[in-house]
Amino acid sequence: MKKIKIVLMSFLLAGVFSCTTEDLNPALDQNKEANGGITNVDNLYAVIKGAYSRMTGSGYYGRDLIVTNEVRTDNCFSNGNSGRFTTQAGFAYSNTTGFFWDDAYRVIESANLIINTDLSQLEGDQEYGLHLQGQAYAIRALAHFDLLKQYGQKHVTGGVTPGGIPYVTTYLSNQSTQEELFPPRNTIEEVRVKLFEDLEMAFNLMEDTGDTNFFSKYAAKALEARVAVYFEMWDTAVDAAEEVIDNGGYAIVPAENYVASFESDGGSNIIFELEFNSTDNLGGNSLGYIYRTTGGGSYGDVQVIDEVADIFEDTDVRGLFDGTNGILGYEGDMLRNIGKYPDNQGYDNVPLLRYEELILNYAEALLNTGGDALTQLNKIPANRGASLYAEATIENILMERRKELMFEGFRFEDLVRTGNDIVKYSIQQNFTETIPYGDSRLAWAIPLAEMDANSSMIQNKGY
């Protein structure tokens, strides 16, 4: 019987645990039971490291997910220098392109192995084991949320039913049921409920470790605030954001340190980031390599639309600089992301949860609940050398999000979740005309290989 690709990813852990966690290969997708190799809580640490490593791959947060959600917007386009990302930027993708589907479900499989392990049967620190399970719940929520945003039908008019994605919570074994082997799509509402259940478990199980390379208690709350904003659960977003603000000890990076903050790891504004280093660098598949040419030695396909320079004031540290010392700069006559992910070999850590984003989520939630959104909104430009806003509106919040989070993969989601069209306003954009809100191209196709393997799967509208 042919199994669904989602779950063809049991890990051969025997032998892995004799290695260091740095040697862990997260791609050991062998059709073999893993549970027998887990005898100690420390073994779960190796599995969680594997899940984080999977997320750093170029097909996921190492490059593609972030870049695709920039080149489909009013921020960037693909100039086709090496032939990369023109398909995504032109909204010309099809069901033969899997994107990060497999990567995300492999991350989920690792998380499920940890969550479904009976800690009472393991040697070692049980409290630490609970903390690791809390991380696994947060990872599982993040991966499913990413899948929902890219493959779900929430913003597609007349989309398929059910329009969510399979929310996988079991680790496969020889005793797995037919539905576990061939999971159907959940509804969007079912996915929403499961996301918040996982995030609540994550918060309750984890400690506040202060290690930004791993999910922590308040990182789970920061992710909860992001998810709540996406679903317009404004009271929940306010509560989650305030939990982080009141207890997390984070701070907005001041203007004088803003550009430099992307050249270093950690920092007062980092809630959670994925670790990259010279040992597991992505080289030519890294974010820096696709954003810049660095004298012609990199791909440099992702170019900034010329008009983007006009949205920044001259005093704004996020704006246009005269060379290579800022966020925006020119390489020849091409406007580039110069400052974020500056190492073209991919040694830079990739922040997934920054305090500045949390504050903007908080401002948007306050705007929708009658709170003081303006004070929160103005905390960002006040620390960037930019003019303060006279009024908190959704337009102003979205503009500030665009300025602050540019090149980090938020813009496409921000436009779609607020019901905006993807406007064709520059000849440089790869698509030929405005993509209206509700268009089927706002969601990716379920990969053809998945459709062939899983008789329960329903393809998205338009594919």
Side-chain angles (χ1 to χ4, degrees), residues 236-304:
T236 300
V238 167
D239 292 343
E242 289 179 347
E243 186 78 47
V244 179
I245 293 167
D246 293 343
N247 299 290
Y250 306 104
I252 297 170
V253 170
E256 60 270 22
N257 297 331
Y258 179 73
V259 175
S261 70
F262 292 99
E263 299 175 358
S264 59
D265 300 334
S268 62
N269 67 327
I270 299 299
I271 302 174
F272 169 55
E273 63 183 359
L274 290 174
E275 183 178 14
F276 291 75
N277 54 53
S278 57
T279 301
D280 57 7
N281 74 85
L282 296 174
N285 292 321
S286 68
L287 280 162
Y289 212 90
I290 203 71
Y291 271 123
R292 291 176 293 281
T293 61
T294 59
S298 305
Y299 293 139
D301 293 64
V302 180
Q303 188 175 330
V304 182

Side-chain angles (χ1 to χ4, degrees), residues 293-318:
T293 61
T294 59
S298 305
Y299 293 139
D301 293 64
V302 180
Q303 188 175 330
V304 182
I305 296 170
D306 290 341
E307 289 85 348
V308 167
D310 298 333
I311 72 173
F312 295 99
E313 299 170 89
D314 292 342
T315 56
D316 192 329
V317 296
R318 299 166 298 190

Side-chain angles (χ1 to χ4, degrees), residues 322-339:
D322 59 0
T324 60
N325 64 335
I327 297 302
L328 283 178
Y330 280 104
E331 288 182 344
D333 59 353
M334 293 183 290
L335 189 61
R336 296 285 192 181
N337 161 26
I338 296 296

Side-chain angles (χ1 to χ4, degrees), residues 179-198:
E179 183 166 325
E180 288 169 344
L181 290 172
F182 301 95
R185 296 177 71 154
N186 290 96
T187 66
I188 294 170
E189 175 61 15
E190 288 169 342
V191 173
R192 183 192 68 80
V193 170
K194 290 175 183 293
L195 286 170
F196 283 101
E197 288 175 349
D198 276 359

Side-chain angles (χ1 to χ4, degrees), residues 15-149:
V16 171
F17 297 125
S18 63
C19 304
T20 66
T21 55
E22 286 73 23
D23 294 328
L24 182 64
N25 181 354
L28 294 174
D29 300 337
Q30 305 292 332
N31 213 8
K32 179 175 179 179
E33 281 301 293
N35 304 70
I38 297 177
T39 60
N40 193 290
V41 169
D42 288 340
N43 298 152
L44 296 183
Y45 174 75
V47 179
I48 205 82
K49 284 282 288 184
Y52 288 120
S53 294
R54 176 69 70 180
M55 294 167 68
T56 66
S58 61
Y60 202 173
Y61 279 113
R63 186 189 65 184
D64 292 4
L65 184 62
I66 290 173
V67 167
T68 301
N69 288 328
E70 292 293 330
V71 296
R72 293 188 290 171
T73 73
D74 47 6
N75 285 344
C76 301
F77 69 102
S78 174
N79 59 32
N81 187 57
S82 70
R84 288 167 170 80
F85 292 100
T86 54
T87 298
Q88 296 93 318
F91 288 83
Y93 32 81
S94 68
N95 62 4
T96 60
T97 307
F99 294 109
F100 77 111
W101 177 276
D102 286 348
D103 297 303
Y105 277 112
R106 289 185 184 114
V107 169
I108 290 165
E109 185 75 357
S110 295
N112 284 337
L113 175 57
I114 296 168
I115 291 168
N116 290 295
T117 295
D118 183 355
L119 291 179
S120 67
Q121 302 302 307
L122 303 185
E123 299 175 357
D125 186 341
Q126 296 289 298
E127 290 298 316
Y128 181 54
L130 290 173
H131 177 70
L132 291 173
Q133 286 188 327
Q135 289 186 56
Y137 276 108
I139 288 171
R140 186 168 79 179
L142 175 59
H144 279 113
F145 184 49
D146 290 338
L147 287 162
L148 178 69
K149 289 185 293 182

